[in-house]
Amino acid sequence: MTFSTGVKNELCKLPSESNCCAIAECYGMLLFGNTFSMREIKIITGNKSLGKRIVALFMKAFKTSFDIMPDEDDEGKQIYAIKDSKKIERIFAAYGFSKGSLLAHHVNLGVLEDDCCRVSFMRGAFLTGGTVTNPEKSYHLEVVTAHYNVSRQTYSLMLELEFTPKETSRAGNYIIYFKQSAAIEDFLTFIGAPIHAMELMSTKIEKDVRNTVNRKVNCDTANVSKIVDAAAEQIIIIERIKELGIFDELPDKLKEAAELRIENSDLSIKELGDISTPPVSKSCMNHRMRKLAQISLTNKGSL
């Protein structure tokens, strides 16, 4: 089951407490669904929980049943359709439109005066026109409609509700979307899916922790590689000095630094300074290594 399906299943468990909210949720379903015209109303879904909710809501809101419904055993896409003109006229009338009066769909805000109805409308819009990606992969929630005015007015309504979505279009459809995890969490909570909002939040925290750990591991690995590479170069320099036969002529401090480096090829310069007798600073140990390199280069021609 996808994350998006899980969200819709959670929403479908919510009761519709009032008739006005049932009408508002159906409004969102219709405007963001498949077909909403005077000739036909059609909603297509592959989610059986959503199918059951559609049937129950239409009965509660309009006292209307569907003319075409799938069998209970049907799998895959399921079609819920109304073709009876009287039923369709009754549904349009509930949203303030009469036969022949509607030129282009738009959101009748008079149907969404109460806050509870606005929540229900957004829930309906997401149920039939919405998707949300698996937060393990990315953060993206969108609702899609074929109606330009509906998209613009829904966008404005979201702004009034203090959401900050973005807009785009794709293949003749109009899309309102969120790409920030916090905004998606807030929207899911708003429409009635707090469990999946919490799941998204937990997933984000886990991803952030993993990314932080990976960055630290990568950084530590890079630092270890630098230490190993630097130590290997310093050991080559010390071995060259020994081959030149001048190692025993070195000052005691340089001989100690050289011996410590050969015996501790995995330690950083700072760590070599810490185990010196007496301990010395990182800059002091760096100076001694540079002095060894200088001696090696100065006497290179003697080999």
Side-chain angles (χ1 to χ4, degrees), residues 225-263:
S225 296
K226 289 178 182 178
I227 290 170
V228 170
D229 291 344
E233 290 179 10
Q234 291 158 2
I235 290 171
I236 290 171
I237 289 168
I238 294 165
E239 293 295 340
R240 186 181 296 135
I241 291 173
K242 288 185 175 182
E243 290 175 10
L244 289 168
I246 59 174
F247 184 79
D248 292 336
E249 300 173 14
L250 296 175
D252 290 343
K253 291 180 179 179
L254 292 185
K255 279 197 286 186
E256 181 197 28
E259 288 167 350
L260 285 174
R261 169 46 78 206
I262 290 173
E263 294 168 1

Side-chain angles (χ1 to χ4, degrees), residues 88-157:
I88 293 174
E89 285 178 24
R90 185 158 63 248
I91 292 169
F92 270 86
Y95 300 118
F97 306 115
S98 59
K99 187 174 182 179
S101 67
L102 185 65
L103 297 177
H105 279 299
H106 65 269
V107 180
N108 182 355
L109 295 177
V111 180
L112 309 176
E113 290 183 346
D114 297 331
D115 290 342
C116 60
C117 292
R118 294 185 171 198
V119 173
S120 296
F121 174 80
M122 292 297 177
R123 183 187 305 125
F126 179 80
L127 282 170
T128 57
T131 56
V132 57
T133 58
N134 184 339
E136 285 282 0
K137 299 178 180 179
S138 63
Y139 305 117
H140 184 89
L141 181 149
E142 66 180 34
V143 287
V144 182
T145 178
H147 312 295
Y148 174 76
N149 290 333
V150 170
S151 182
R152 291 294 301 144
Q153 290 159 355
T154 302
Y155 174 83
S156 297
L157 182 56

Side-chain angles (χ1 to χ4, degrees), residues 68-210:
I68 298 173
M69 287 179 56
D71 294 330
E72 289 187 7
D73 297 331
D74 285 353
E75 299 295 336
K77 295 294 183 182
Q78 301 175 327
I79 297 174
Y80 297 82
I82 298 173
K83 294 181 177 292
D84 184 279
S85 60
K86 291 183 179 179
K87 291 181 181 180
I88 293 174
E89 285 178 24
R90 185 158 63 248
I91 292 169
F92 270 86
Y95 300 118
F97 306 115
S98 59
K99 187 174 182 179
S101 67
L102 185 65
L103 297 177
H105 279 299
H106 65 269
V107 180
N108 182 355
L109 295 177
V111 180
L112 309 176
E113 290 183 346
D114 297 331
D115 290 342
C116 60
C117 292
R118 294 185 171 198
V119 173
S120 296
F121 174 80
M122 292 297 177
R123 183 187 305 125
F126 179 80
L127 282 170
T128 57
T131 56
V132 57
T133 58
N134 184 339
E136 285 282 0
K137 299 178 180 179
S138 63
Y139 305 117
H140 184 89
L141 181 149
E142 66 180 34
V143 287
V144 182
T145 178
H147 312 295
Y148 174 76
N149 290 333
V150 170
S151 182
R152 291 294 301 144
Q153 290 159 355
T154 302
Y155 174 83
S156 297
L157 182 56
M158 285 188 179
L159 293 180
E160 287 182 27
L161 295 169
E162 299 185 352
F163 292 105
T164 55
K166 295 184 178 180
E167 296 178 288
T168 189
S169 59
R170 184 196 308 135
N173 290 317
Y174 304 95
I175 301 158
I176 304 168
Y177 67 95
F178 299 96
K179 276 194 169 294
Q180 298 79 28
S181 59
I184 296 172
E185 291 161 17
D186 290 344
F187 185 76
L188 292 181
T189 301
F190 177 78
I191 62 175
I195 294 173
H196 280 79
M198 285 297 296
E199 185 178 333
L200 191 154
M201 187 184 302
S202 298
T203 301
K204 182 179 185 299
I205 292 171
E206 290 173 7
K207 284 172 67 177
D208 288 346
V209 169
R210 283 201 302 269

